[in-house]
Structure formats: structure tokens, C-alpha cells
Amino acid sequence: MTFADILESLGGMGRFQRLSVAFLALPLAMLASHNLLQNFTAGVPGHHCQQKAERCRRFVTTQWRLLDPNATRANDTKVDTEPCADGWTYDRSMFRSTIVSEWDLVCDSWTLRQMAQSIYMAGVLIGSLLIGGLSDRFGRKALIIWCYLQMGVAGACTAFAPNFTAYCVLRFLCGMAMSGISLNSVSLCMEWIPTKYRAIIGTINGYCYTTGQFILAGVAYAIPDWRWLQLAVSLPFFVFFLYSWLFVESARWLASSGKEKRAVKALKKAAWINGRKKEGEKLSVEVLKSSMQKELSSNKSSHSMADLVRTPGVRKISCGVSFVWFATSFAYYGLAMDLQNFGFNLYLTQLVFGAVDFPAKFISVMTITFVGRRFSQALSLILAGLCILANIFVPQDLNNLRMAFAVIGKGSLAASFNCAYIFSGELFPTVIRQSGMGLGGTMARVGSMIAPLVKMTGEFFSPLPLIIYGTAPIISGTVACFLPETRNVPLPETIEEVERR
């Protein structure tokens, strides 16, 4: 009898599991609002110098001759210009206010806009490094409660940031909280549900994130002022913080951490909610220890990030997962954070980019469930890379075709994320699952931080960004082919179990 058998005897995918999944999934919808928020809060409106209709420079002296229709054309005469000394005039038709228009992040300061997004992603990176290990040591519940509160407070305070520096610091804290919420939500879901439902629940969580992209487009359209928009997407996290105190700690983590009494108490609570009170009463510490004897006897008192590379089996998994997460996030944010450059309405583009996730993730869950995790992961990455590379050969004036390839590529990357959350969680054993997911998250954020820098290479050779964005997923998809299949395989509890497999 395994831990999975205990869950089945206590109701399987019962009312307790369904409620847990539902309340953990709601905050995931709002994470998209923060990840992609700068498409709107940092939108670049049309602008020109206050005293001349040029974007970044003005004449040093007044050019009266331009009023004379018989005068020599301006481009035939060398005229001295200087930067816009008196500020800029912004087009308010789409954005009433953004951080770009408020703090003049244009022309010589245009890199600060990219830096703000990189700082947010740096927060997510640091969160992946810290929170993954902390939740393996202190539990999933404590960390997710704290992260909800941190996101609410930091997000709301960002709306009142007095300057660009304060804005970046607060966005960094939001990024850290985002990482903790996503990691612990996935782990709590996985560790409470039976094996056969993991792919379905993982996809439901993915659809919640997709729904969040629709929510962001709608809220951003309704609220064109960046401060009010920032506040609107942050306040819901205070609600999530309040009800998160009702979550039940992962019994898997409790048992694997030597807290068998608390694990039994958590399992009995789940059994009671599932209407299996009698079965729950039969459960005891002795029964739990007996069913998990091998796992508990070989469990270390503590684990660290070093366990991810200490043994050959886990080291191979860690390497493969790193490739998958890096390439998926690298290419995803290269596409998703550059919506203004597609030449279409920004809000409509956001909706289309969100809509493609529905069929993409539906197809991915079908292949995940009936074909396998490894096949789905490799296929989605390679297809995304091919679509990105295809745009190199599409002329710039064929906007619709370029948009179609980009949308298919983005959908494939969304499917890859869907696979990665499920696949990675099933590859790592319970005792270091959060650390393993934290490693994946770390590599994903490294990819998302590098993506804006790659765009700058287009100044030297215009197709180079697409070449890099397309090649990375293809290489990682090939690497994924060498990872072990986890379809219909019970979650491993210990490092030793992974090595035996």
C-alpha cells in the first residue's frame, strides 16, 4: 500500500481535492495580470518634442525658412539639432497614463522601460531560488500565505510609487511573491490529488492563467491609467490571503519531513470533508509509517539544492528540466512582451495571444494523458521553434502571416509551460520537489531576463533575434526526449526511489 492508495481510500478526487484545486487556481488567474502588466502600464504612447513634431530631437534655433514654400528642403541642408530639453508631448488616445509618459522613459531613457521588466523578472528569479527551498523546509502552506500577502501589499504600494526607483523596488517584491505563489500552488495540488488526475488538474491551472490574460486585456482597456490598473490587479490578493489560512498542509510533505502525526491529522480532515470519516478513523501513524516504510526510512532529516546534482539520476533530470524551462520562458516572453511591435491593436493582440492558449493546452492535455509527458514536451518546444524561425522568411509587409506564425508559436510555448509544470513535478521526488521546481523556475526567469537583451541584437543583424528565439526551443525539445517518461507512474517520494528507477 502506497501513499497514493491511501489517498484513493480516503476519497480520491473528492470534495476536499476539488475545493483545494478551485481555491488555489483562482490566484493563478491574476498572476498573468502581473507577468504581462507592463504591456499596458509601460505602453509607449506616440510622442514628440514639445516644440517640434520629432520623437527625440529638436532644432537648436527656430527654422523660419521652413515656412517659406520656396525655401530649400530641410533634408538638403545640414541643421543643428539637440535632445528634447523641454520634455515631450504624448498621445493620450490609447493610454491616459503609463510609467513611460509619467517618467519620460523615451529616447535616451528608453532602456529604463526594459530594465523595469528585467527587475521584475529578477524578483521572480530570486523567489525561485529562495522560496523553493524554504517551502521544502517549512511547508507549502506557510509560504503561500506569505506570498499572497506580499503580492497584495507590494502590488498596491506600486500604484502609489513616487518615482521610478520605488516602482522598480516594489515590482521586484511582486516578482518574488509571484514565484512563490506559482510554485506552491502546483505542489499543493499535485501532492493532494491521485496520479490519474494530475494532468487534468495541471491543465485546469494552466487555463486559469490563460483566463487571466483575458482579464488583463479587459481591465487594461477599461482602466487606461497605469496607477489605477496596477491597484486593480493587486487588491484581489488580499482576499486570497484571507482564505489561504483554511488550506491544509500537504500530507505528503508532512510525512516525508518526519511529521507523521500532523500528516495523519491532515489526511483525516481530508477524509471527513470527502465523506469518508470511517476510513479516516482507521488511519494512524503506524498505518502511515507502514505504507511509507521505505520512503520514511531512507528520508534525510534535511535536504538542500545540492541534492539536485548529487546523484546521477536526479542530476540528469535537473539538467533536462533546466533546458526545458529556460527555452520555454526565453521564447515565450520574447513574443508576449513585445505586443506593440506586431502592428495590431494592443488589446486585441493580447486577446488573441490569450485565446490561442485554449486549443493549445487542450491538445497538450490530450497528448499528455494518452501519449505521454515526454512526447508532449518535446513536440511543443520543437513546433514553437519552427514557427519562430519561419517568420525569418516572411516579408515584413505580410503582417497577418507573421502574426499567425507568432500566435501558433506562442500557443506552442503555452502548451510547453503546461507540460513543464506537470512533467517537472512528476520527475522530482517529494523531498526535493519544491527545490526542483524552484530550479526550473530559476532557469525560466533567467530566460525571461535575457530575452529583452536578445532583441537588441537586431540592430546588428535584423533576423538574429528570431534565429536565437527559434533555435533555443528546438535544442531544448531534443534534450527533453532523453528524460524519463512519467505517465501513469506514481510520484517518487525519495531520491533513492528516483535512482532505482
Side-chain angles (χ1 to χ4, degrees), residues 341-362:
N341 286 339
F342 283 107
F344 290 87
N345 179 275
L346 181 61
Y347 304 101
L348 179 60
T349 303
Q350 179 66 66
L351 287 174
V352 172
F353 264 47
V356 71
D357 286 10
F358 283 100
K361 290 180 178 179
F362 176 77

Side-chain angles (χ1 to χ4, degrees), residues 418-474:
N418 195 45
C419 297
Y421 273 112
I422 298 169
F423 198 20
S424 301
E426 293 178 342
L427 286 168
F428 290 106
T430 300
V431 292
I432 57 169
R433 181 165 296 118
Q434 283 297 87
S435 295
M437 295 294 286
L439 172 66
T442 297
M443 297 308 299
R445 301 320 159 197
V446 171
S448 64
M449 290 173 62
I450 293 176
L453 301 179
V454 170
K455 289 185 182 298
M456 298 172 64
T457 63
E459 295 183 5
F460 306 101
F461 180 55
S462 57
L464 187 56
L466 291 180
I467 293 174
I468 299 174
Y469 287 139
T471 303
I474 292 175

Side-chain angles (χ1 to χ4, degrees), residues 286-306:
E286 290 72 23
V287 172
L288 181 62
K289 284 185 176 181
S290 177
S291 64
M292 301 183 68
Q293 185 174 1
K294 292 182 180 179
E295 292 86 349
L296 293 175
S297 63
S298 59
N299 187 27
K300 293 182 179 180
S301 58
S302 63
H303 294 273
S304 67
M305 296 294 289

Side-chain angles (χ1 to χ4, degrees), residues 324 327 374 377-379 381-382 472-482:
V324 166
R374 180 171 53 193
Q377 188 72 76
L379 177 64
L381 281 167
I382 293 173
I474 292 175
I475 293 174
S476 296
T478 304
V479 171
C481 294
F482 296 94

Side-chain angles (χ1 to χ4, degrees), residues 171-184:
R171 284 285 288 168
F172 178 87
L173 295 176
C174 287
M176 288 187 65
M178 177 271 168
S179 192
I181 292 169
S182 59
L183 286 173
N184 287 286

Side-chain angles (χ1 to χ4, degrees), residues 275-293:
R276 298 289 185 90
K277 188 176 180 180
K278 291 184 178 180
E279 288 81 354
E281 290 175 349
K282 297 176 184 178
L283 189 63
S284 64
V285 173
E286 290 72 23
V287 172
L288 181 62
K289 284 185 176 181
S290 177
S291 64
M292 301 183 68
Q293 185 174 1

Side-chain angles (χ1 to χ4, degrees), residues 398-424:
L398 296 180
N399 288 335
N400 290 337
L401 183 57
R402 293 180 63 83
M403 182 70 166
F405 276 125
V407 168
I408 295 172
K410 194 267 185 181
S412 299
L413 292 168
S416 179
F417 267 126
N418 195 45
C419 297
Y421 273 112
I422 298 169
F423 198 20
S424 301

